[in-house]
Amino acid sequence: MKLLIDKLKESRSLSKAEWIQVIEERNSDISEYLFSLARDIRHMHYGHEVYIRGLIEFTSYCKHDCYYCGIRSGNKAAVRYRLSKEDILECCKTGWNLGFRTFVLQGGEDDYYTDERMVDIVGTIKSLYPDCAITLSIGERSKESYRQLFDAGADRYLLRHETFSPAHYDMLHPPALNVATRRQCLYDLKSIGYEVGTGFMVGSPYQTSENLADDMLFIKELNPHMVGIGPFIPHCNTSFKDQPSGTLELTLYMLGLLRLMSPKVLLPATTALGTIDPNGRELGILAGTNVVMPNLSPTSVRKDYALYDNKICTDDEAYECRQCLEKRMQSIGYYTVVARGNSHVQS
Ligand code: SAM
């Protein structure tokens, strides 16, 4: 097994059979070995710096009905909210003063935010904060829409592919959504010039090692700037409410593998990781991640962006989230930096 980990480190790729083996035959010794190599690579490219991204969850309305997601349209118990342009600008102002130079606007797929409205919001943020990067995470849109948002000033786009396997994709999504469209969106975003992030949930219902192997091969091919992975966590108002969460152990392992496969990739220690374990994000950093995304959304709406149960940080003000993460990073020998973050394409 160590030979396979070494091979991944040297060649940055594995065959599908090797990916399956490296996932299925893992043990705690191999994990520790992987994490130490992943940390070395991370230190080589990023030292002990951790990039911070200010997350603004601006709408909990969603027209889609993804079976795993707490804000899916079919969840009639979900409390829905929308932030106005002024609310969003206020979040950016707070964030800028706290040292954020990247704003991530994330939301459900909400037709209220037409191209015209989003172009106005993105353009205004860009004119007020020209030194900041704007990341959008607002799901599937037309190529023309992506282009307009890019021209308005959006720099980056996060769209998890969720799972490469069409069969697995269909187990997680209603028939209106399909894997081909999702993937086409990613290729459209790349061709327009966005720095693209993709990713998947670890331990999503019915996920197999083969699915994970396919996910790694897809990420290798797409060569994104960022990869967001976190554990699946059930939400009580979804059909997956009784499914087990993804584990900390497998999530950390996949993060370590990603660092070896894509040495310079931006890899967040996600809120979901911090939700399944109180030290999840610190352990994520020690497994090779280099980004954290504190929440800048107003506390009045935080609880309502409930993708999964028991989400952390729903009561803390933005500055508390910022300080808390700073302390957490310092406790393990890392520190957050005020920077837009690295935008070099991986070699
Ligand atoms: N609507 C946009 C989209 O689909 O890309 C962005 C918002 S969506 C809620 C953001 C991500 O949350 C999804 O890509 C999914 O991987 C993650 N997510 C949703 N439900 C989750 C759950 N129950 N556990 C963990 N992650 C979840």
Side-chain angles (χ1 to χ4, degrees), residues 218-253:
F218 172 69
I219 291 169
K220 177 77 191 168
E221 183 216 305
L222 184 70
N223 192 24
H225 280 78
M226 178 163 173
V227 179
I229 71 164
F232 159 75
I233 304 173
H235 184 284
C236 59
N237 291 327
T238 65
S239 46
F240 292 152
K241 64 179 189 302
D242 296 322
Q243 295 278 346
S245 292
T247 64
L248 175 73
E249 182 271 322
L250 181 55
T251 308
L252 295 175
Y253 191 71

PDB file of all heavy atoms in Angstrom, residues 218-253:
ATOM      1  N   PHE A 218     -12.085  11.825 -12.451  1.00  0.00           N
ATOM      2  CA  PHE A 218     -12.734  12.993 -13.073  1.00  0.00           C
ATOM      3  C   PHE A 218     -12.032  14.288 -12.651  1.00  0.00           C
ATOM      4  O   PHE A 218     -11.769  15.172 -13.476  1.00  0.00           O
ATOM      5  CB  PHE A 218     -14.216  13.040 -12.692  1.00  0.00           C
ATOM      6  CG  PHE A 218     -14.884  14.310 -13.136  1.00  0.00           C
ATOM      7  CD1 PHE A 218     -15.090  14.559 -14.494  1.00  0.00           C
ATOM      8  CD2 PHE A 218     -15.294  15.263 -12.221  1.00  0.00           C
ATOM      9  CE1 PHE A 218     -15.685  15.748 -14.923  1.00  0.00           C
ATOM     10  CE2 PHE A 218     -15.888  16.446 -12.639  1.00  0.00           C
ATOM     11  CZ  PHE A 218     -16.086  16.682 -13.987  1.00  0.00           C
ATOM     12  N   ILE A 219     -11.713  14.391 -11.388  1.00  0.00           N
ATOM     13  CA  ILE A 219     -11.042  15.612 -10.895  1.00  0.00           C
ATOM     14  C   ILE A 219      -9.670  15.746 -11.555  1.00  0.00           C
ATOM     15  O   ILE A 219      -9.262  16.839 -11.943  1.00  0.00           O
ATOM     16  CB  ILE A 219     -10.956  15.586  -9.352  1.00  0.00           C
ATOM     17  CG1 ILE A 219     -12.359  15.749  -8.762  1.00  0.00           C
ATOM     18  CG2 ILE A 219     -10.026  16.684  -8.833  1.00  0.00           C
ATOM     19  CD1 ILE A 219     -12.456  15.493  -7.268  1.00  0.00           C
ATOM     20  N   LYS A 220      -9.000  14.639 -11.713  1.00  0.00           N
ATOM     21  CA  LYS A 220      -7.695  14.659 -12.394  1.00  0.00           C
ATOM     22  C   LYS A 220      -7.850  15.242 -13.801  1.00  0.00           C
ATOM     23  O   LYS A 220      -7.075  16.082 -14.243  1.00  0.00           O
ATOM     24  CB  LYS A 220      -7.154  13.227 -12.454  1.00  0.00           C
ATOM     25  CG  LYS A 220      -5.848  13.072 -13.182  1.00  0.00           C
ATOM     26  CD  LYS A 220      -4.699  13.528 -12.319  1.00  0.00           C
ATOM     27  CE  LYS A 220      -3.428  13.640 -13.120  1.00  0.00           C
ATOM     28  NZ  LYS A 220      -2.391  14.340 -12.372  1.00  0.00           N
ATOM     29  N   GLU A 221      -8.891  14.780 -14.487  1.00  0.00           N
ATOM     30  CA  GLU A 221      -9.100  15.228 -15.873  1.00  0.00           C
ATOM     31  C   GLU A 221      -9.524  16.704 -15.923  1.00  0.00           C
ATOM     32  O   GLU A 221      -9.032  17.481 -16.732  1.00  0.00           O
ATOM     33  CB  GLU A 221     -10.169  14.345 -16.515  1.00  0.00           C
ATOM     34  CG  GLU A 221     -10.428  14.656 -17.975  1.00  0.00           C
ATOM     35  CD  GLU A 221     -11.900  14.489 -18.339  1.00  0.00           C
ATOM     36  OE1 GLU A 221     -12.459  13.415 -18.101  1.00  0.00           O
ATOM     37  OE2 GLU A 221     -12.476  15.473 -18.851  1.00  0.00           O
ATOM     38  N   LEU A 222     -10.410  17.093 -15.042  1.00  0.00           N
ATOM     39  CA  LEU A 222     -10.918  18.479 -15.060  1.00  0.00           C
ATOM     40  C   LEU A 222      -9.835  19.473 -14.644  1.00  0.00           C
ATOM     41  O   LEU A 222      -9.802  20.591 -15.109  1.00  0.00           O
ATOM     42  CB  LEU A 222     -12.134  18.593 -14.128  1.00  0.00           C
ATOM     43  CG  LEU A 222     -12.828  19.948 -14.101  1.00  0.00           C
ATOM     44  CD1 LEU A 222     -13.572  20.202 -15.427  1.00  0.00           C
ATOM     45  CD2 LEU A 222     -13.805  20.062 -12.927  1.00  0.00           C
ATOM     46  N   ASN A 223      -8.965  19.054 -13.734  1.00  0.00           N
ATOM     47  CA  ASN A 223      -7.880  19.899 -13.230  1.00  0.00           C
ATOM     48  C   ASN A 223      -8.394  21.242 -12.695  1.00  0.00           C
ATOM     49  O   ASN A 223      -8.009  22.310 -13.187  1.00  0.00           O
ATOM     50  CB  ASN A 223      -6.846  20.114 -14.354  1.00  0.00           C
ATOM     51  CG  ASN A 223      -5.570  20.739 -13.828  1.00  0.00           C
ATOM     52  OD1 ASN A 223      -5.243  20.621 -12.651  1.00  0.00           O
ATOM     53  ND2 ASN A 223      -4.851  21.436 -14.694  1.00  0.00           N
ATOM     54  N   PRO A 224      -9.296  21.189 -11.700  1.00  0.00           N
ATOM     55  CA  PRO A 224      -9.856  22.437 -11.173  1.00  0.00           C
ATOM     56  C   PRO A 224      -8.871  23.179 -10.269  1.00  0.00           C
ATOM     57  O   PRO A 224      -7.886  22.592  -9.817  1.00  0.00           O
ATOM     58  CB  PRO A 224     -11.051  21.942 -10.348  1.00  0.00           C
ATOM     59  CG  PRO A 224     -10.642  20.581  -9.892  1.00  0.00           C
ATOM     60  CD  PRO A 224      -9.764  20.005 -10.970  1.00  0.00           C
ATOM     61  N   HIS A 225      -9.168  24.443 -10.002  1.00  0.00           N
ATOM     62  CA  HIS A 225      -8.333  25.215  -9.079  1.00  0.00           C
ATOM     63  C   HIS A 225      -8.629  24.840  -7.631  1.00  0.00           C
ATOM     64  O   HIS A 225      -7.801  25.025  -6.750  1.00  0.00           O
ATOM     65  CB  HIS A 225      -8.612  26.712  -9.233  1.00  0.00           C
ATOM     66  CG  HIS A 225      -7.920  27.320 -10.406  1.00  0.00           C
ATOM     67  ND1 HIS A 225      -8.375  27.178 -11.688  1.00  0.00           N
ATOM     68  CD2 HIS A 225      -6.791  28.067 -10.487  1.00  0.00           C
ATOM     69  CE1 HIS A 225      -7.566  27.819 -12.511  1.00  0.00           C
ATOM     70  NE2 HIS A 225      -6.596  28.361 -11.810  1.00  0.00           N
ATOM     71  N   MET A 226      -9.865  24.395  -7.412  1.00  0.00           N
ATOM     72  CA  MET A 226     -10.279  24.118  -6.030  1.00  0.00           C
ATOM     73  C   MET A 226     -11.103  22.835  -6.000  1.00  0.00           C
ATOM     74  O   MET A 226     -11.808  22.540  -6.968  1.00  0.00           O
ATOM     75  CB  MET A 226     -11.127  25.291  -5.532  1.00  0.00           C
ATOM     76  CG  MET A 226     -11.652  25.134  -4.145  1.00  0.00           C
ATOM     77  SD  MET A 226     -12.185  26.761  -3.557  1.00  0.00           S
ATOM     78  CE  MET A 226     -12.952  26.305  -2.036  1.00  0.00           C
ATOM     79  N   VAL A 227     -10.989  22.102  -4.914  1.00  0.00           N
ATOM     80  CA  VAL A 227     -11.822  20.904  -4.750  1.00  0.00           C
ATOM     81  C   VAL A 227     -12.451  20.948  -3.360  1.00  0.00           C
ATOM     82  O   VAL A 227     -11.739  20.914  -2.346  1.00  0.00           O
ATOM     83  CB  VAL A 227     -11.013  19.600  -4.915  1.00  0.00           C
ATOM     84  CG1 VAL A 227     -11.923  18.397  -4.699  1.00  0.00           C
ATOM     85  CG2 VAL A 227     -10.385  19.512  -6.304  1.00  0.00           C
ATOM     86  N   GLY A 228     -13.775  21.043  -3.325  1.00  0.00           N
ATOM     87  CA  GLY A 228     -14.482  21.067  -2.043  1.00  0.00           C
ATOM     88  C   GLY A 228     -15.093  19.702  -1.769  1.00  0.00           C
ATOM     89  O   GLY A 228     -15.998  19.274  -2.481  1.00  0.00           O
ATOM     90  N   ILE A 229     -14.557  19.028  -0.764  1.00  0.00           N
ATOM     91  CA  ILE A 229     -15.210  17.778  -0.353  1.00  0.00           C
ATOM     92  C   ILE A 229     -15.489  17.848   1.142  1.00  0.00           C
ATOM     93  O   ILE A 229     -14.735  18.451   1.904  1.00  0.00           O
ATOM     94  CB  ILE A 229     -14.392  16.503  -0.694  1.00  0.00           C
ATOM     95  CG1 ILE A 229     -13.147  16.383   0.184  1.00  0.00           C
ATOM     96  CG2 ILE A 229     -14.044  16.430  -2.166  1.00  0.00           C
ATOM     97  CD1 ILE A 229     -12.543  14.981   0.151  1.00  0.00           C
ATOM     98  N   GLY A 230     -16.590  17.264   1.523  1.00  0.00           N
ATOM     99  CA  GLY A 230     -16.934  17.214   2.940  1.00  0.00           C
ATOM    100  C   GLY A 230     -17.836  16.023   3.147  1.00  0.00           C
ATOM    101  O   GLY A 230     -18.367  15.458   2.180  1.00  0.00           O
ATOM    102  N   PRO A 231     -18.015  15.618   4.394  1.00  0.00           N
ATOM    103  CA  PRO A 231     -18.872  14.458   4.642  1.00  0.00           C
ATOM    104  C   PRO A 231     -20.337  14.766   4.332  1.00  0.00           C
ATOM    105  O   PRO A 231     -20.804  15.882   4.580  1.00  0.00           O
ATOM    106  CB  PRO A 231     -18.684  14.209   6.140  1.00  0.00           C
ATOM    107  CG  PRO A 231     -18.308  15.547   6.698  1.00  0.00           C
ATOM    108  CD  PRO A 231     -17.513  16.238   5.632  1.00  0.00           C
ATOM    109  N   PHE A 232     -21.040  13.783   3.802  1.00  0.00           N
ATOM    110  CA  PHE A 232     -22.509  13.877   3.747  1.00  0.00           C
ATOM    111  C   PHE A 232     -23.014  13.832   5.182  1.00  0.00           C
ATOM    112  O   PHE A 232     -22.517  13.045   6.005  1.00  0.00           O
ATOM    113  CB  PHE A 232     -23.087  12.684   2.962  1.00  0.00           C
ATOM    114  CG  PHE A 232     -24.535  12.423   3.285  1.00  0.00           C
ATOM    115  CD1 PHE A 232     -25.522  13.255   2.775  1.00  0.00           C
ATOM    116  CD2 PHE A 232     -24.904  11.385   4.128  1.00  0.00           C
ATOM    117  CE1 PHE A 232     -26.866  13.051   3.106  1.00  0.00           C
ATOM    118  CE2 PHE A 232     -26.240  11.168   4.467  1.00  0.00           C
ATOM    119  CZ  PHE A 232     -27.219  12.007   3.950  1.00  0.00           C
ATOM    120  N   ILE A 233     -23.978  14.693   5.494  1.00  0.00           N
ATOM    121  CA  ILE A 233     -24.608  14.674   6.821  1.00  0.00           C
ATOM    122  C   ILE A 233     -26.122  14.694   6.589  1.00  0.00           C
ATOM    123  O   ILE A 233     -26.609  15.545   5.834  1.00  0.00           O
ATOM    124  CB  ILE A 233     -24.188  15.904   7.665  1.00  0.00           C
ATOM    125  CG1 ILE A 233     -22.661  15.975   7.785  1.00  0.00           C
ATOM    126  CG2 ILE A 233     -24.839  15.873   9.042  1.00  0.00           C
ATOM    127  CD1 ILE A 233     -22.141  17.244   8.462  1.00  0.00           C
ATOM    128  N   PRO A 234     -26.865  13.773   7.180  1.00  0.00           N
ATOM    129  CA  PRO A 234     -28.301  13.744   6.892  1.00  0.00           C
ATOM    130  C   PRO A 234     -29.038  14.968   7.419  1.00  0.00           C
ATOM    131  O   PRO A 234     -28.609  15.602   8.382  1.00  0.00           O
ATOM    132  CB  PRO A 234     -28.781  12.466   7.600  1.00  0.00           C
ATOM    133  CG  PRO A 234     -27.731  12.141   8.594  1.00  0.00           C
ATOM    134  CD  PRO A 234     -26.442  12.719   8.098  1.00  0.00           C
ATOM    135  N   HIS A 235     -30.128  15.293   6.750  1.00  0.00           N
ATOM    136  CA  HIS A 235     -31.030  16.350   7.221  1.00  0.00           C
ATOM    137  C   HIS A 235     -32.369  15.692   7.537  1.00  0.00           C
ATOM    138  O   HIS A 235     -32.863  14.869   6.759  1.00  0.00           O
ATOM    139  CB  HIS A 235     -31.184  17.420   6.138  1.00  0.00           C
ATOM    140  CG  HIS A 235     -32.019  18.584   6.583  1.00  0.00           C
ATOM    141  ND1 HIS A 235     -33.392  18.523   6.678  1.00  0.00           N
ATOM    142  CD2 HIS A 235     -31.662  19.823   6.998  1.00  0.00           C
ATOM    143  CE1 HIS A 235     -33.846  19.681   7.133  1.00  0.00           C
ATOM    144  NE2 HIS A 235     -32.816  20.497   7.330  1.00  0.00           N
ATOM    145  N   CYS A 236     -32.961  16.095   8.636  1.00  0.00           N
ATOM    146  CA  CYS A 236     -34.154  15.402   9.139  1.00  0.00           C
ATOM    147  C   CYS A 236     -35.367  15.488   8.207  1.00  0.00           C
ATOM    148  O   CYS A 236     -36.253  14.648   8.286  1.00  0.00           O
ATOM    149  CB  CYS A 236     -34.507  15.917  10.530  1.00  0.00           C
ATOM    150  SG  CYS A 236     -34.817  17.691  10.535  1.00  0.00           S
ATOM    151  N   ASN A 237     -35.405  16.472   7.324  1.00  0.00           N
ATOM    152  CA  ASN A 237     -36.552  16.589   6.416  1.00  0.00           C
ATOM    153  C   ASN A 237     -36.230  16.140   4.991  1.00  0.00           C
ATOM    154  O   ASN A 237     -36.732  16.722   4.025  1.00  0.00           O
ATOM    155  CB  ASN A 237     -37.068  18.030   6.377  1.00  0.00           C
ATOM    156  CG  ASN A 237     -37.703  18.411   7.696  1.00  0.00           C
ATOM    157  OD1 ASN A 237     -38.301  17.574   8.375  1.00  0.00           O
ATOM    158  ND2 ASN A 237     -37.546  19.657   8.077  1.00  0.00           N
ATOM    159  N   THR A 238     -35.381  15.154   4.882  1.00  0.00           N
ATOM    160  CA  THR A 238     -35.090  14.592   3.557  1.00  0.00           C
ATOM    161  C   THR A 238     -35.304  13.088   3.616  1.00  0.00           C
ATOM    162  O   THR A 238     -35.344  12.498   4.704  1.00  0.00           O
ATOM    163  CB  THR A 238     -33.622  14.854   3.125  1.00  0.00           C
ATOM    164  OG1 THR A 238     -32.762  14.139   4.017  1.00  0.00           O
ATOM    165  CG2 THR A 238     -33.268  16.331   3.155  1.00  0.00           C
ATOM    166  N   SER A 239     -35.396  12.487   2.430  1.00  0.00           N
ATOM    167  CA  SER A 239     -35.602  11.033   2.418  1.00  0.00           C
ATOM    168  C   SER A 239     -34.345  10.300   2.893  1.00  0.00           C
ATOM    169  O   SER A 239     -34.398   9.103   3.180  1.00  0.00           O
ATOM    170  CB  SER A 239     -36.002  10.565   1.016  1.00  0.00           C
ATOM    171  OG  SER A 239     -35.172  11.147   0.063  1.00  0.00           O
ATOM    172  N   PHE A 240     -33.242  10.992   2.988  1.00  0.00           N
ATOM    173  CA  PHE A 240     -32.012  10.365   3.481  1.00  0.00           C
ATOM    174  C   PHE A 240     -31.808  10.596   4.980  1.00  0.00           C
ATOM    175  O   PHE A 240     -30.693  10.481   5.493  1.00  0.00           O
ATOM    176  CB  PHE A 240     -30.799  10.899   2.712  1.00  0.00           C
ATOM    177  CG  PHE A 240     -30.745  10.490   1.258  1.00  0.00           C
ATOM    178  CD1 PHE A 240     -30.105  11.295   0.317  1.00  0.00           C
ATOM    179  CD2 PHE A 240     -31.320   9.303   0.822  1.00  0.00           C
ATOM    180  CE1 PHE A 240     -30.034  10.921  -1.023  1.00  0.00           C
ATOM    181  CE2 PHE A 240     -31.260   8.923  -0.519  1.00  0.00           C
ATOM    182  CZ  PHE A 240     -30.615   9.729  -1.435  1.00  0.00           C
ATOM    183  N   LYS A 241     -32.882  10.922   5.667  1.00  0.00           N
ATOM    184  CA  LYS A 241     -32.736  11.298   7.092  1.00  0.00           C
ATOM    185  C   LYS A 241     -32.153  10.180   7.953  1.00  0.00           C
ATOM    186  O   LYS A 241     -31.499  10.459   8.970  1.00  0.00           O
ATOM    187  CB  LYS A 241     -34.059  11.795   7.668  1.00  0.00           C
ATOM    188  CG  LYS A 241     -35.178  10.769   7.728  1.00  0.00           C
ATOM    189  CD  LYS A 241     -36.409  11.434   8.353  1.00  0.00           C
ATOM    190  CE  LYS A 241     -37.532  10.486   8.674  1.00  0.00           C
ATOM    191  NZ  LYS A 241     -38.054   9.709   7.524  1.00  0.00           N
ATOM    192  N   ASP A 242     -32.382   8.925   7.562  1.00  0.00           N
ATOM    193  CA  ASP A 242     -31.876   7.820   8.378  1.00  0.00           C
ATOM    194  C   ASP A 242     -30.556   7.240   7.870  1.00  0.00           C
ATOM    195  O   ASP A 242     -30.072   6.219   8.370  1.00  0.00           O
ATOM    196  CB  ASP A 242     -32.919   6.700   8.454  1.00  0.00           C
ATOM    197  CG  ASP A 242     -34.177   7.190   9.170  1.00  0.00           C
ATOM    198  OD1 ASP A 242     -34.035   7.962  10.147  1.00  0.00           O
ATOM    199  OD2 ASP A 242     -35.290   6.840   8.719  1.00  0.00           O
ATOM    200  N   GLN A 243     -30.017   7.866   6.847  1.00  0.00           N
ATOM    201  CA  GLN A 243     -28.725   7.385   6.311  1.00  0.00           C
ATOM    202  C   GLN A 243     -27.593   7.848   7.234  1.00  0.00           C
ATOM    203  O   GLN A 243     -27.665   8.933   7.809  1.00  0.00           O
ATOM    204  CB  GLN A 243     -28.495   7.975   4.913  1.00  0.00           C
ATOM    205  CG  GLN A 243     -29.500   7.497   3.880  1.00  0.00           C
ATOM    206  CD  GLN A 243     -29.141   6.127   3.314  1.00  0.00           C
ATOM    207  OE1 GLN A 243     -28.019   5.653   3.501  1.00  0.00           O
ATOM    208  NE2 GLN A 243     -30.092   5.502   2.641  1.00  0.00           N
ATOM    209  N   PRO A 244     -26.537   7.055   7.344  1.00  0.00           N
ATOM    210  CA  PRO A 244     -25.423   7.487   8.202  1.00  0.00           C
ATOM    211  C   PRO A 244     -24.631   8.629   7.553  1.00  0.00           C
ATOM    212  O   PRO A 244     -24.599   8.749   6.326  1.00  0.00           O
ATOM    213  CB  PRO A 244     -24.546   6.224   8.293  1.00  0.00           C
ATOM    214  CG  PRO A 244     -24.907   5.416   7.091  1.00  0.00           C
ATOM    215  CD  PRO A 244     -26.329   5.734   6.746  1.00  0.00           C
ATOM    216  N   SER A 245     -24.003   9.430   8.392  1.00  0.00           N
ATOM    217  CA  SER A 245     -23.110  10.483   7.891  1.00  0.00           C
ATOM    218  C   SER A 245     -21.876   9.854   7.266  1.00  0.00           C
ATOM    219  O   SER A 245     -21.495   8.733   7.623  1.00  0.00           O
ATOM    220  CB  SER A 245     -22.601  11.353   9.047  1.00  0.00           C
ATOM    221  OG  SER A 245     -23.622  12.100   9.589  1.00  0.00           O
ATOM    222  N   GLY A 246     -21.243  10.602   6.377  1.00  0.00           N
ATOM    223  CA  GLY A 246     -19.898  10.214   5.956  1.00  0.00           C
ATOM    224  C   GLY A 246     -18.976  10.319   7.160  1.00  0.00           C
ATOM    225  O   GLY A 246     -19.250  11.074   8.094  1.00  0.00           O
ATOM    226  N   THR A 247     -17.883   9.575   7.150  1.00  0.00           N
ATOM    227  CA  THR A 247     -17.027   9.575   8.345  1.00  0.00           C
ATOM    228  C   THR A 247     -15.899  10.601   8.237  1.00  0.00           C
ATOM    229  O   THR A 247     -15.453  10.955   7.140  1.00  0.00           O
ATOM    230  CB  THR A 247     -16.389   8.184   8.578  1.00  0.00           C
ATOM    231  OG1 THR A 247     -15.536   7.890   7.476  1.00  0.00           O
ATOM    232  CG2 THR A 247     -17.455   7.107   8.726  1.00  0.00           C
ATOM    233  N   LEU A 248     -15.467  11.012   9.415  1.00  0.00           N
ATOM    234  CA  LEU A 248     -14.288  11.881   9.505  1.00  0.00           C
ATOM    235  C   LEU A 248     -13.087  11.168   8.883  1.00  0.00           C
ATOM    236  O   LEU A 248     -12.330  11.746   8.099  1.00  0.00           O
ATOM    237  CB  LEU A 248     -14.009  12.182  10.986  1.00  0.00           C
ATOM    238  CG  LEU A 248     -12.743  12.974  11.283  1.00  0.00           C
ATOM    239  CD1 LEU A 248     -12.929  14.428  10.884  1.00  0.00           C
ATOM    240  CD2 LEU A 248     -12.377  12.886  12.761  1.00  0.00           C
ATOM    241  N   GLU A 249     -12.970   9.907   9.238  1.00  0.00           N
ATOM    242  CA  GLU A 249     -11.790   9.125   8.819  1.00  0.00           C
ATOM    243  C   GLU A 249     -11.664   9.069   7.293  1.00  0.00           C
ATOM    244  O   GLU A 249     -10.608   9.390   6.729  1.00  0.00           O
ATOM    245  CB  GLU A 249     -11.920   7.713   9.437  1.00  0.00           C
ATOM    246  CG  GLU A 249     -10.780   6.765   9.165  1.00  0.00           C
ATOM    247  CD  GLU A 249     -10.972   5.953   7.894  1.00  0.00           C
ATOM    248  OE1 GLU A 249     -12.099   5.531   7.581  1.00  0.00           O
ATOM    249  OE2 GLU A 249      -9.972   5.757   7.194  1.00  0.00           O
ATOM    250  N   LEU A 250     -12.743   8.727   6.608  1.00  0.00           N
ATOM    251  CA  LEU A 250     -12.654   8.621   5.139  1.00  0.00           C
ATOM    252  C   LEU A 250     -12.510  10.005   4.496  1.00  0.00           C
ATOM    253  O   LEU A 250     -11.800  10.172   3.508  1.00  0.00           O
ATOM    254  CB  LEU A 250     -13.880   7.881   4.571  1.00  0.00           C
ATOM    255  CG  LEU A 250     -13.880   7.681   3.050  1.00  0.00           C
ATOM    256  CD1 LEU A 250     -12.618   6.974   2.552  1.00  0.00           C
ATOM    257  CD2 LEU A 250     -15.122   6.896   2.589  1.00  0.00           C
ATOM    258  N   THR A 251     -13.173  11.010   5.072  1.00  0.00           N
ATOM    259  CA  THR A 251     -13.054  12.360   4.496  1.00  0.00           C
ATOM    260  C   THR A 251     -11.608  12.837   4.569  1.00  0.00           C
ATOM    261  O   THR A 251     -11.054  13.344   3.589  1.00  0.00           O
ATOM    262  CB  THR A 251     -13.978  13.354   5.233  1.00  0.00           C
ATOM    263  OG1 THR A 251     -15.302  12.818   5.271  1.00  0.00           O
ATOM    264  CG2 THR A 251     -14.002  14.695   4.522  1.00  0.00           C
ATOM    265  N   LEU A 252     -10.965  12.644   5.725  1.00  0.00           N
ATOM    266  CA  LEU A 252      -9.572  13.074   5.862  1.00  0.00           C
ATOM    267  C   LEU A 252      -8.682  12.309   4.880  1.00  0.00           C
ATOM    268  O   LEU A 252      -7.788  12.882   4.247  1.00  0.00           O
ATOM    269  CB  LEU A 252      -9.072  12.843   7.296  1.00  0.00           C
ATOM    270  CG  LEU A 252      -9.765  13.671   8.393  1.00  0.00           C
ATOM    271  CD1 LEU A 252      -9.254  13.233   9.769  1.00  0.00           C
ATOM    272  CD2 LEU A 252      -9.523  15.167   8.181  1.00  0.00           C
ATOM    273  N   TYR A 253      -8.951  11.029   4.752  1.00  0.00           N
ATOM    274  CA  TYR A 253      -8.146  10.208   3.845  1.00  0.00           C
ATOM    275  C   TYR A 253      -8.267  10.713   2.401  1.00  0.00           C
ATOM    276  O   TYR A 253      -7.261  10.871   1.698  1.00  0.00           O
ATOM    277  CB  TYR A 253      -8.614   8.757   3.960  1.00  0.00           C
ATOM    278  CG  TYR A 253      -7.716   7.739   3.292  1.00  0.00           C
ATOM    279  CD1 TYR A 253      -6.471   7.427   3.832  1.00  0.00           C
ATOM    280  CD2 TYR A 253      -8.115   7.094   2.119  1.00  0.00           C
ATOM    281  CE1 TYR A 253      -5.648   6.486   3.230  1.00  0.00           C
ATOM    282  CE2 TYR A 253      -7.308   6.154   1.509  1.00  0.00           C
ATOM    283  CZ  TYR A 253      -6.069   5.852   2.063  1.00  0.00           C
ATOM    284  OH  TYR A 253      -5.261   4.916   1.461  1.00  0.00           O
TER     285      TYR A 253
END
